[in-house]
Amino acid sequence: MHWHSRLVQPQTLAAPGFESLATPTYRGSTVLFNKQADVVDDWDQAKSGYAYGLYGTPTTLELSGRIAQLEGAKHSFVVPGGQAAIALIYFAMCKAGSHALVPYNAYGPNKEMAQGLLKDLGIDVEPYDPMIGGGIAELIRDNTTLIWVESPGSVTMEIQDIPAICQAAHQRGVMVALDNTYAAGVLFDAFAHGVDISMQALTKYVGGHSDLLLGTVSAETVPNSKSL
Ligand SMILES: *Cc1c(COP(=O)(O)O)cnc(C)c1O
């Protein structure tokens, strides 16, 4: 199905028996169980049902499932904002001693976090020219664990050669993460272009602006961070 059709005819992912065109809002941090044996503490709601609101109510799981469908991802994880999605990717892919690359034109607070918090944690984030293309190979070091791309880049709108960057990254076993907010996760097919992780600020196009703060991190497979 074309993504235009999927937008208006989403395949409902909620438990069978109560599909609704407008998914109801389930609130709360307290989930009731019938018996203690039903309480499974592995935090995998897709398999074991609902345990705690922050990690997935029927509402948030429906949302993450639909974002995954639109982006062509296998998994999508909802977080409290776009910047939280950026932070989650850094913390999943980098540790003290890691080197990461971020384009000069990336969303400002991404770079601010890199130069402040991440630097203090021993993570070295180096800015690069967004138009570098395959030339990025020369910037990849043995301890590079993450390359960010953002296309078009925030404010100045450069379009990056993402397939060339992904090819150079993958040759060295490095993951590529895309801030796909400008394309709303649909106008640029991240995974078809080789990207490993795609994040969005749902705060922007998806939420319709001014209504909510949310973010998603999506992946085609479960990414493994490179061991240093
Ligand atoms: C707004 C924005 C973010 C951050 O989203 P918040 O939900 O405001 O934290 C990240 N990337 C881009 C490109 C953005 O425009």
Side-chain angles (χ1 to χ4, degrees):
M1 227 191 253
H2 193 278
W3 69 265
H4 292 176
S5 310
R6 277 182 297 171
L7 268 180
V8 291
Q9 288 192 314
Q11 289 156 12
T12 311
L13 304 159
F18 209 88
E19 287 94 347
S20 164
L21 194 57
T23 305
T25 306
Y26 288 83
R27 300 172 191 274
S29 59
T30 309
V31 179
L32 301 179
F33 298 90
N34 287 329
K35 51 185 189 304
Q36 203 220 335
D38 291 346
V39 183
V40 184
D41 203 14
D42 66 1
W43 302 101
D44 188 348
Q45 279 78 18
K47 282 195 203 132
S48 56
Y50 308 109
Y52 182 63
L54 188 62
Y55 296 97
T57 62
T59 317
T60 57
L61 290 185
E62 181 74 36
L63 174 63
S64 56
R66 290 194 191 184
I67 295 288
Q69 272 180 358
L70 283 175
E71 292 206 45
K74 186 146 191 268
H75 304 278
S76 225
F77 192 70
V78 176
V79 290
Q83 183 68 6
I86 292 170
L88 179 63
I89 293 169
Y90 271 121
F91 290 130
M93 308 313 295
C94 302
K95 54 189 174 190
S98 291
H99 170 249
L101 288 160
V102 67
Y104 284 117
N105 60 359
Y107 175 67
N110 177 329
K111 292 177 291 180
E112 281 163 31
M113 191 170 90
Q115 284 146 22
L117 180 67
L118 297 173
K119 197 171 164 213
D120 290 345
L121 293 173
I123 299 164
D124 177 10
V125 185
E126 181 186 349
Y128 72 87
D129 173 1
M131 304 311 284
I132 198 168
I136 200 150
E138 285 166 32
L139 300 181
I140 298 175
R141 306 180 195 162
D142 289 343
N143 62 340
T144 306
T145 56
L146 174 66
I147 297 176
W148 276 100
V149 285
E150 188 178 316
S151 179
S154 279
V155 188
T156 43
M157 301 281 123
E158 290 88 344
I159 300 294
Q160 296 197 268
D161 187 345
I162 291 186
I165 292 174
C166 290
Q167 196 189 8
H170 294 159
Q171 270 169 8
R172 299 284 298 274
V174 179
M175 292 277 176
V176 178
L178 167 71
D179 187 333
N180 209 10
T181 301
Y182 269 97
V186 289
L187 295 177
F188 180 71
D189 187 343
F191 302 114
H193 289 81
V195 166
D196 302 289
I197 307 167
S198 167
M199 57 74 42
Q200 279 192 74
L202 299 191
T203 310
K204 307 294 165 53
Y205 294 109
V206 174
H209 267 282
S210 318
D211 302 303
L212 53 85
L213 291 161
L214 275 178
T216 41
V217 178
S218 303
E220 235 183 343
T221 56
V222 179
N224 277 317
S225 64
K226 180 176 158 184
S227 53
L228 289 183

